[in-house]
Amino acid sequence: MVAVASVVVAVGAATGVVSALDDGHPAKDAKPPVTPSPDLGPSPGGPASPASAAPSPSGPASPKPKSAPHPSPSARTSRTAAAPARLYRHPDSQVRDWVDAHPGDARRAVIASRIADRPAAVWFADFTPATVTARVRAVTSAAAAQGRVPVLVPYAIPQRDCGGASEGGAPDLAAYDGWIDGIAAGLGSGEVVVVLEPDAIAQSDCLTEGGRADRFASLARAGRVLKAANPRARVYYDAGNSDWNPAADQAALLRRAGAASPASSDGIFTNVSNFNRTSDEIAYARRVLSALGGPAGLGAVIDTSRNGNGAAAGGAWCDPPGRRIGEAPTLSTGEAGIDAYLWVKPPGESDGCRGAAGTFSAQYAYELAR
């Protein structure tokens, strides 16, 4: 992961959400006290099908240079309206399944309280136009009923993962545009965070220049459609991570994809499925935002699901040992310009070394959580 692409989530068989209650304050210690885990039922669920399933993205094969240090920009103002909101805990997840199925396992209490009881993103990674609206609506309506904010990850861009381990997605951009329309139709009217297409911008160098331009146009359209359908939707665009593209280069790509336009974008996301320390990602995100331009209100969200100990030595990215869950998911980070810490990659779901990519490994989850 470090020195590689964000190596997005592997959402595996039951797309992923872990759950917890966000109290509006970022956790300083990634290990909260053990509390009883609610019985939320089996996965998959929802009226039509599980949120989605996807193979594990692999990212570029060769290391990406770390962006050169730049002076920190002046602090941007974060949207304070998000601070009181609490993230939604979706019941359908592989970790929840495991917790429910293993009441006597000695690892259960740790995994339940420190992973399964925290919110994580819901991925929509299978191209299923006929059911995507109902599946999105199942998540957003349940979140709205609780007065909470869901995090959705559309992940079906054509030529996904540049033909790597997570290849797939929509057959072409016209079909993708229609699929995004289906997602927009299910957003409802409540607040929702959309992490739009991890790796689709940072990992676009496998495309021709024309293909890249077409993809970026489609991503810009996606943001406009989502925000027009629900003005309370906050859409964030792929900025890779601090060990990938230099900030100025990434900002130039983001600008072409609509990330500087308030009609499409609320900002950027970084570190999806990666291990880079939050402090490094904050500094990088601020450099990208400074170079990006656009409205002062643009912010960033950071995936903190597995970055508690930082990146592994030598840039190991595939389920490396010695890692730890990071800051608890929250919409109140206390950091200017950083709108949220999110668990985009559900902790315990394998990159492909602790099991098939996207499947849940209880032992890996336990190692991350304890």
Side-chain angles (χ1 to χ4, degrees), residues 27-34 110 113-115 118 309 323-328 343 366-370:
K28 299 300 182 185
D29 182 353
K31 300 179 180 180
V34 174
V110 169
S113 66
R114 299 178 183 176
I115 295 179
R118 296 183 178 225
N309 280 344
R323 302 311 94 206
R324 180 187 177 194
I325 54 175
E327 285 90 352
W343 283 10
Y366 182 66
E367 291 171 14
L368 289 168
R370 66 180 177 175

Side-chain angles (χ1 to χ4, degrees), residues 30 275-277 304-310 323-327:
F275 300 90
N276 296 326
R277 290 190 183 277
T304 60
S305 59
R306 305 188 298 178
N307 72 345
N309 280 344
R323 302 311 94 206
R324 180 187 177 194
I325 54 175
E327 285 90 352

Side-chain angles (χ1 to χ4, degrees), residues 166-333:
S166 288
E167 66 180 338
D172 53 50
L173 287 172
Y176 178 76
D177 291 347
W179 183 76
I180 286 291
D181 292 346
I183 289 178
L187 287 181
S189 59
E191 187 175 1
V192 56
V193 173
V194 180
V195 175
L196 182 63
E197 296 293 343
D199 290 354
I201 297 174
Q203 190 187 20
S204 60
D205 51 0
C206 63
L207 303 174
T208 66
E209 181 54 34
R212 181 183 280 191
D214 290 343
R215 172 182 284 191
F216 290 170
S218 193
L219 288 171
R221 176 194 181 275
R224 291 194 303 270
V225 167
L226 294 168
K227 290 181 70 63
N230 178 355
R232 298 184 70 192
R234 292 192 281 155
V235 180
Y236 294 89
Y237 280 74
D238 169 39
N241 63 69
S242 60
D243 278 327
W244 203 343
N245 296 324
D249 294 351
Q250 187 63 33
L253 297 175
L254 283 157
R255 198 176 303 111
R256 292 176 59 189
S261 168
S264 299
S265 170
D266 292 87
I268 63 173
F269 61 84
T270 77
N271 210 41
V272 169
S273 288
N274 219 293
F275 300 90
N276 296 326
R277 290 190 183 277
T278 303
S279 58
D280 292 335
E281 294 304 301
I282 289 172
Y284 172 70
R286 287 174 175 164
R287 293 196 300 271
V288 173
L289 289 169
S290 179
L292 178 62
L298 294 182
V301 299
I302 297 171
D303 186 354
T304 60
S305 59
R306 305 188 298 178
N307 72 345
N309 280 344
W317 62 266
C318 188
D319 303 328
R323 302 311 94 206
R324 180 187 177 194
I325 54 175
E327 285 90 352
T330 183
L331 294 170
S332 182
T333 69

Side-chain angles (χ1 to χ4, degrees), residues 107 275 306 317-323 345 348-368 370:
R107 302 166 294 183
F275 300 90
R306 305 188 298 178
W317 62 266
C318 188
D319 303 328
R323 302 311 94 206
K345 165 80 173 185
E349 292 189 10
S350 176
D351 299 315
C353 294
R354 299 291 188 108
T359 59
F360 179 74
S361 166
Q363 184 57 32
Y364 192 41
Y366 182 66
E367 291 171 14
L368 289 168
R370 66 180 177 175

Side-chain angles (χ1 to χ4, degrees), residues 17-169:
V17 217
V18 252
S19 58
L21 306 182
D22 172 16
D23 63 2
H25 300 283
K28 299 300 182 185
D29 182 353
K31 300 179 180 180
V34 174
T35 55
S37 175
D39 182 4
L40 298 178
S43 169
S49 69
S52 79
S56 176
S58 60
S62 57
K64 293 289 181 180
K66 188 167 185 175
S67 51
H70 299 283
S72 296
S74 58
R76 290 172 175 261
T77 302
S78 221
R79 284 176 293 283
T80 55
R86 302 171 82 183
L87 291 164
Y88 170 62
R89 179 181 71 186
H90 189 58
D92 296 338
S93 68
Q94 294 187 78
V95 64
R96 185 74 256 165
D97 280 353
W98 184 89
V99 166
D100 291 343
H102 295 82
D105 194 294
R107 302 166 294 183
R108 182 184 186 276
V110 169
I111 293 173
S113 66
R114 299 178 183 176
I115 295 179
D117 287 350
R118 296 183 178 225
V122 185
W123 288 68
F124 296 86
D126 52 338
F127 180 71
T128 53
T131 61
V132 71
T133 298
R135 292 185 292 123
V136 171
R137 186 177 294 120
V139 176
T140 57
S141 61
Q146 297 180 17
R148 298 181 183 275
V149 180
V151 179
L152 311 181
V153 186
Y155 185 58
I157 197 77
Q159 294 180 265
R160 187 174 66 194
D161 196 33
C162 290
S166 288
E167 66 180 338

